[in-house]
Amino acid sequence: MTDRIGFIGLGLMGRPMARRLLAAGYQLTVHNRSWRPVEELASLGARPASSPKEVARESDVVFLMLPDSGDVEQVVLGREGLVEGLRSGSIVIDCSTVSPETEVAIAGRLKEMGVHYLDAPVTGSTPAAESGTLTIMVGGDREAFERVVPVLRHLGSRIEYMGASGSGQLTKLCNQIAVAGNLLAAAEAVLFAERMGLDPSRVLEVIGGGAASSWQLVNLGPKMVGRDYRPGFKAAHLKKDLRIVMEVAESRSLPLPLTSLAWQMVRALVSMGYADQGTQSIIEVLRSLAGSHKPGTT
Amino acid sequence: MTDRIGFIGLGLMGRPMARRLLAAGYQLTVHNRSWRPVEELASLGARPASSPKEVARESDVVFLMLPDSGDVEQVVLGREGLVEGLRSGSIVIDCSTVSPETEVAIAGRLKEMGVHYLDAPVTGSTPAAESGTLTIMVGGDREAFERVVPVLRHLGSRIEYMGASGSGQLTKLCNQIAVAGNLLAAAEAVLFAERMGLDPSRVLEVIGGGAASSWQLVNLGPKMVGRDYRPGFKAAHLKKDLRIVMEVAESRSLPLPLTSLAWQMVRALVSMGYADQGTQSIIEVLRSLAGSHKPGTT
């Protein structure tokens, strides 16, 4: 049975995902730390719940979309948490981007209760969540995965099974490694163009079609030039994701020189007050390092 | 007049470029440090010359495609160099990737003789040179540029005027900054996937279509996984290009943390014996740093 669905975490991503499940005809029970998004979903026909435990009691499948590892642990294992309401045979799908080790630990704990736990982080921002075109990378029990694929199809256009518990998160971290490196590379290219007196917009056009091209350069480069820092993906979230990458890398004694540098730059960015700005604002860290030199001066 | 063309530097890029000019019907005079490529072009109808000076005497437009700044200086200003044969009104087009400062200095020197000097580095590898689909980024006198556009159209599908002398090289350096950063980002993503026990080929497929995507990740990522290091672009050349970036950045007191790191990694790669391998072999530096740990061990 996957007809009764729960959804916990109604933020910028969770809200449109929950709306799509409701529109697809599922019976949906929702919970959120703050009440307003719950009311919004309730007005569309969702059933409000006052705790994760209550969500668990009303659902065969429970989605989570939460900020960080600690939030997921609290919602699943904490007081009035999912564990107090889940029944054997139900499935929890965590779409948050959190530590793979947290996911493995929770999956192990829930398995003792006969509950399957899938880590299923997504890529794609709010518009992709609204249109159901997310990429969803799933780790955990293969059979449980197969059972929820029809539900996931309402949320994502690519549903990818990556392996054992934690594999979804590890795949997402690979994604974030490339995102962060490409972002910083685009920012240095733009800064160099600016400081050498070139027209950085022209440069982006010229180099954006060949071996230098990246999603980050093509989509965020022009925003760096125009100092448009409205968030598609917030600096604070990239900082959190890179912290998780580096924690995992440390636990495996794996040096990642570029990702480590990118993490420090994003930490600096957040310290400079850009936490809620888009990641393209990383160029402000570079501009700050470069001082106020103008083109042609030394 | 742009009918009589000279070409100096018949390497992996210069040879197909010269062939295209010959096929387009221009009278072509060629010179190269080693003699064999000169013979090859001569067999196709080019006129061999024993020195740059001799090329200059027979040509209205002279192309250069040489390894590094010192080679360009030598060919233009050295003994039996272009300066000894160039007449007022002729145009030299340097397609090498070399220091912008070298180009500005040479352009100034030739201007005194009434000769225009354009820096016109290219992007795209040997296949693009063969098919005439290079991107050519040009700096120098605008009017001289306009005069040679019909010639450049035989070599490139994008011919871009970027500004004053040196601007072509500076644009190419922006390109190489993004190339190097994206390359290293792709390598760290692949390494992370490998060491975490994921299937790195699957991971590249899953993350290659979204915000993590780059030309480097999509085209070179699978070669990193498969340890296919046949060169599209050689490590030694990227090392040279990044050295120039850092020299320019130093001259403007511009910090470039990521490019600096990438440069050091490429230097390590060359030191490890990969100079003539493709740049995707950069992952060997990371594998070396990461030691011989296998997935699942610490």
Side-chain angles (χ1 to χ4, degrees), chain A:
Chain A
M1 283 290 292
T2 59
D3 285 351
R4 301 185 315 150
I5 294 182
F7 208 109
I8 299 174
L10 302 169
L12 284 175
M13 295 295 286
R15 219 148 53 229
M17 292 168 73
R19 264 194 259 118
R20 287 191 63 84
L21 294 172
L22 206 51
Y26 292 104
Q27 177 191 314
L28 193 72
T29 304
V30 298
H31 175 71
N32 193 59
R33 197 159 42 180
S34 64
W35 195 245
R36 189 185 298 254
V38 174
E39 282 180 331
E40 182 198 323
L41 268 294
S43 75
L44 298 170
R47 192 197 136 102
S50 59
S51 70
K53 172 184 174 181
E54 190 182 330
V55 172
R57 282 192 174 152
E58 302 293 330
S59 310
D60 310 306
V61 173
V62 179
F63 281 89
L64 310 180
M65 190 48 136
L66 298 163
D68 209 338
S69 309
D71 304 296
V72 172
E73 284 170 347
Q74 183 63 29
V75 161
V76 179
L77 307 175
R79 211 165 63 86
E80 300 283 300
L82 287 179
V83 281
E84 298 183 13
L86 289 167
R87 283 178 315 282
S88 176
S90 54
I91 300 175
V92 178
I93 305 173
D94 181 19
C95 294
S96 323
T97 297
V98 299
S99 160
E101 283 155 25
T102 298
E103 304 291 62
V104 171
I106 294 177
R109 179 78 182 279
L110 295 191
K111 196 175 179 188
E112 298 166 9
M113 304 167 55
V115 173
H116 287 297
Y117 184 84
L118 302 171
D119 53 299
V122 305
T123 58
S125 51
T126 301
E130 287 166 349
S131 59
T133 57
L134 296 166
T135 293
I136 309 180
M137 299 151 288
V138 187
D141 183 78
R142 175 118 212 179
E143 197 193 327
F145 166 75
E146 300 291 355
R147 277 171 59 201
V148 297
V149 164
V151 182
L152 295 176
R153 290 232 179 279
H154 295 288
L155 304 176
S157 49
R158 293 193 65 172
I159 317 294
E160 306 279 356
Y161 180 75
M162 300 309 297
S165 183
S167 300
Q169 297 295 349
L170 288 169
T171 303
K172 173 72 184 272
L173 296 181
C174 291
N175 190 83
Q176 299 310 75
I177 289 169
V179 161
N182 296 349
L183 173 73
L184 194 49
E188 290 201 0
V190 168
L191 180 79
F192 189 88
E194 286 178 350
R195 294 301 165 107
M196 296 304 142
L198 300 171
D199 175 345
S201 300
R202 283 270 349 263
V203 170
L204 288 172
E205 282 169 34
V206 171
I207 72 175
S213 75
S214 70
W215 187 99
Q216 300 288 318
L217 183 125
V218 170
N219 291 280
L220 299 185
K223 296 184 181 191
M224 293 176 187
V225 173
R227 292 172 160 75
D228 172 1
Y229 300 145
R230 285 171 294 174
F233 181 54
K234 289 183 182 178
H237 295 156
L238 183 56
K239 178 187 167 196
K240 182 259 296 181
D241 293 353
L242 294 179
R243 188 203 76 223
I244 296 172
V245 171
M246 296 313 298
E247 284 170 2
V248 172
E250 170 63 17
S251 76
R252 306 290 185 101
S253 304
L254 182 66
L256 295 173
L258 166 53
T259 308
S260 176
L261 173 63
W263 181 41
Q264 298 305 313
M265 303 294 275
V266 176
R267 288 182 63 209
L269 183 65
V270 169
S271 296
M272 287 167 61
Y274 290 85
D276 291 325
Q277 302 292 306
T279 52
Q280 66 271 27
S281 59
I282 192 81
I283 194 168
E284 288 299 329
V285 177
L286 294 173
R287 288 188 182 125
S288 165
L289 287 175
S292 55
H293 300 290
K294 296 293 184 304
T297 68
T298 53

Side-chain angles (χ1 to χ4, degrees), chain B residues 24-296:
Chain B
Y26 292 105
Q27 179 191 314
L28 193 72
T29 305
V30 298
H31 175 72
N32 193 61
R33 196 157 45 179
S34 64
W35 196 246
R36 189 184 297 254
V38 174
E39 284 180 330
E40 181 197 322
L41 269 292
S43 75
L44 299 170
R47 194 196 135 103
S50 60
S51 70
K53 173 185 174 180
E54 191 182 331
V55 171
R57 283 193 171 149
E58 302 293 328
S59 310
D60 310 307
V61 173
V62 179
F63 280 89
L64 310 180
M65 190 47 138
L66 298 163
D68 208 339
S69 310
D71 305 295
V72 172
E73 283 170 348
Q74 183 63 28
V75 161
V76 179
L77 306 174
R79 211 165 63 84
E80 300 282 301
L82 287 178
V83 282
E84 298 183 12
L86 289 167
R87 282 177 316 283
S88 176
S90 54
I91 300 174
V92 179
I93 304 173
D94 181 19
C95 294
S96 323
T97 296
V98 299
S99 160
E101 283 154 26
T102 298
E103 303 291 62
V104 171
I106 294 176
R109 179 77 182 279
L110 295 190
K111 197 178 178 185
E112 297 166 9
M113 305 169 54
V115 173
H116 288 298
Y117 184 85
L118 302 171
D119 52 300
V122 307
T123 57
S125 52
T126 301
E130 287 167 349
S131 59
T133 56
L134 296 166
T135 292
I136 310 181
M137 299 151 287
V138 187
D141 183 77
R142 174 116 212 182
E143 198 193 324
F145 166 74
E146 300 290 355
R147 279 170 58 202
V148 298
V149 164
V151 183
L152 295 177
R153 291 235 178 277
H154 295 288
L155 304 176
S157 49
R158 294 194 64 173
I159 318 294
E160 306 280 354
Y161 181 76
M162 300 310 297
S165 182
S167 300
Q169 297 296 349
L170 289 169
T171 304
K172 173 71 184 273
L173 296 182
C174 291
N175 191 82
Q176 300 309 75
I177 289 169
V179 161
N182 295 348
L183 174 72
L184 194 50
E188 290 201 358
V190 168
L191 181 79
F192 189 87
E194 286 178 351
R195 294 302 164 108
M196 295 304 142
L198 299 171
D199 174 347
S201 300
R202 282 271 348 262
V203 170
L204 288 171
E205 282 170 31
V206 170
I207 72 175
S213 75
S214 70
W215 188 99
Q216 300 288 319
L217 183 127
V218 169
N219 290 279
L220 299 185
K223 295 183 181 189
M224 294 175 186
V225 174
R227 292 172 159 77
D228 172 3
Y229 300 143
R230 284 172 295 175
F233 182 55
K234 288 182 181 176
H237 295 156
L238 183 57
K239 178 187 167 196
K240 183 258 297 179
D241 294 353
L242 295 179
R243 188 203 75 225
I244 296 170
V245 171
M246 296 314 297
E247 284 171 2
V248 173
E250 170 62 18
S251 75
R252 306 290 186 100
S253 304
L254 183 64
L256 294 174
L258 166 54
T259 308
S260 176
L261 172 63
W263 181 39
Q264 298 305 315
M265 301 294 275
V266 176
R267 288 182 64 209
L269 182 65
V270 169
S271 297
M272 285 167 62
Y274 289 85
D276 292 325
Q277 302 292 306
T279 52
Q280 67 272 24
S281 59
I282 192 81
I283 194 170
E284 288 298 330
V285 178
L286 294 173
R287 287 188 182 127
S288 166
L289 287 175
S292 54
H293 300 289
K294 296 292 184 304

